[in-house]
Amino acid sequence: MMAEETEAFPTWPAFDGNEEASLVRVLKSGKWGRANGGAVAAFEAAFAAKTGAKHCLAVANGTSALITALGVLDIGPGDEVIVPPYTFIATVNAVLRFHAVPIFVDVDAKTLQMDASKLEAQITPRTKAIIMVHMAGGVGELGKVLEIGKRRGIPVIEDAAQAHLAEWEGKHVGTHGTMGCFSFQASKNLNSGEGGALLTNDDALAEKAYAFHNNSRGRTQPGEDFKYRMTGANLRLTEFQGALLTAQMGRIEEQARKRTENAKRLDAALAKTPGLTPMGVGKGCTRHAYHLYMFRYEAAKYGGKARDAFMKEMGVPVSSGYVPLEEEPFLENAFSSRGYEFAYGKNYFAKWKKRNDCPVNRKACAETLWFTQNLLLSGPRAMARLERAVLALKS
Ligand SMILES: Cc1ncc(COP(=O)(O)O)c(C=O)c1O
């Protein structure tokens, strides 16, 4: 067997003695929580500097970042929050935690990002926030979404859980909207097992976010520690995770460069393969984070072969990605729970469903394939395996 056929795909995460030393340093310090240590604060400063955000607040995970963002905007029952349907369920779960209503704006077929041309039709006087997800680390028509948000007086939250280092018009994602939310969960391009961050350039929101994630306790003057002004939760990151993230930050530029280089190789291979098309990005996307390499499989070009069978034939790790969220039973179940019935009355789901059909998403979920980011860190021989997997399946 040739060497290139046996070269393994990279495992994830990547680490060395640097990560180990940073964890041991925290361990030996005995300062394991952010209240008495400095590792979380040091990471926040580093991530703010890297992204160009005025404020960075580290939180327990990406879901917590979204919950904090919605919490500081005082989202509650009766409010609508616009989301795209092609996303991880956490984007929608964060909205449901507040007994608010997720309203879907269908995705664009070429990018799988929110279709900005369909956004205004879904806005009502109840719309209190728009969550623009930077799916897979690409960026869609963020400019149009921001323009609509500004004109209609609706804050835009960027869900950048998959988009570390992605840029729109030369500026990091997460810094364009009112707030930006990141995840450092184990699969993510920046990883501390679990973890998250919220970015904002707004001083007042930053203060409020700190208090929200710290069980209502803001950065108060001595003696004011227990004067509570708002509700909150404990969504704090530990010092171990803060230290790990700072160590991992030392690798992200090099890893991102490699993913981009390998994604270009895949683009070139797919360009020669009818029936397989890489997902595009919006015009203003100047840097893709490639958390996922997403491409579309058109069964009709392969004699109607089912996607699962096609994936098997590829012989490399490939995923079929998300299911249509708007059709999953969790929404009907949520809307028939006591809290929702109290706020919206009985049979709210039926009304909701009429407004939330997403045919483009449905088709996309049936046709999309993903390569995960670790595959894009492959050396030349493992990359050749991926290229051959798509080229050999030419229709
Ligand atoms: C788009 C998106 N939003 C939110 C999240 C939630 O992040 P976490 O898993 O860190 O809570 C994820 C993570 O998978 C995600 O992919």
Side-chain angles (χ1 to χ4, degrees), residues 32-36 40 44 57-61 64-65 68 194-196 209-217 233-239 241-242:
W32 297 351
R34 79 165 296 161
N36 56 5
V40 171
E44 288 172 337
L57 175 74
V59 291
N61 48 58
S64 299
T68 303
E194 298 287 352
Y210 186 92
F212 187 91
H213 105 297
N214 193 36
N215 255 331
S216 312
R217 297 175 69 186
N234 176 0
L235 306 174
R236 295 185 298 261
L237 192 76
T238 70
E239 288 287 287
Q241 292 159 301

Side-chain angles (χ1 to χ4, degrees), residues 18-261:
N18 197 21
E19 277 79 0
E20 188 177 345
S22 65
L23 288 171
V24 170
R25 220 174 294 128
V26 173
L27 182 76
K28 290 190 173 164
S29 75
K31 296 172 177 173
W32 297 351
R34 79 165 296 161
N36 56 5
V40 171
F43 167 70
E44 288 172 337
F47 200 60
K50 183 79 196 155
T51 54
K54 192 163 178 199
H55 303 281
C56 170
L57 175 74
V59 291
N61 48 58
T63 310
S64 299
L66 289 165
I67 287 174
T68 303
L70 295 170
V72 302
L73 292 175
D74 297 322
I75 301 298
D79 294 341
E80 294 177 356
V81 177
I82 289 182
V83 294
Y86 197 82
T87 183
F88 182 56
I89 190 173
T91 314
V92 178
N93 271 340
V95 177
L96 295 172
R97 287 278 65 74
F98 292 92
H99 289 99
V101 179
I103 296 292
F104 288 115
V105 167
D106 207 351
V107 288
D108 175 83
K110 292 202 168 74
T111 63
L112 294 196
Q113 312 290 347
M114 182 190 287
D115 185 342
S117 72
K118 294 181 178 156
L119 173 56
E120 291 222 70
Q122 289 290 57
I123 292 176
T124 73
R126 288 172 178 259
T127 309
K128 292 290 153 43
I130 299 164
I131 303 182
M132 179 67 170
V133 178
H134 304 311
M135 184 56 214
V139 192
E141 295 300 339
L142 179 59
K144 284 187 194 149
V145 173
L146 291 169
E147 184 276 313
I148 294 167
K150 194 168 174 195
R151 179 159 45 76
R152 305 287 294 255
I154 304 165
V156 175
I157 298 167
E158 292 175 73
D159 181 342
Q162 302 184 7
H164 320 79
L165 302 193
E167 291 177 8
W168 184 76
E169 293 192 344
K171 202 173 135 204
H172 282 271
V173 298
T175 63
H176 295 275
T178 307
M179 284 170 276
C181 300
F182 290 80
S183 165
F184 309 128
Q185 173 270 340
S187 69
K188 300 301 190 298
N189 298 18
L190 181 59
N191 161 25
S192 53
E194 298 287 352
L198 180 147
L199 302 184
T200 185
N201 294 322
D202 183 308
D203 297 346
L205 287 180
E207 284 307 298
K208 225 176 152 185
Y210 186 92
F212 187 91
H213 105 297
N214 193 36
N215 255 331
S216 312
R217 297 175 69 186
R219 299 179 205 261
T220 50
Q221 297 298 313
E224 280 204 6
D225 266 15
F226 293 100
K227 289 190 173 172
Y228 305 118
R229 292 179 180 85
M230 56 184 284
T231 63
N234 176 0
L235 306 174
R236 295 185 298 261
L237 192 76
T238 70
E239 288 287 287
F240 292 102
Q241 292 159 301
L244 195 51
L245 286 167
T246 303
Q248 290 271 296
M249 286 259 297
R251 308 167 182 280
I252 52 173
E253 277 296 346
E254 172 56 21
Q255 289 166 337
R257 194 194 53 70
K258 182 124 200 176
R259 288 190 197 99
T260 303
E261 190 184 295

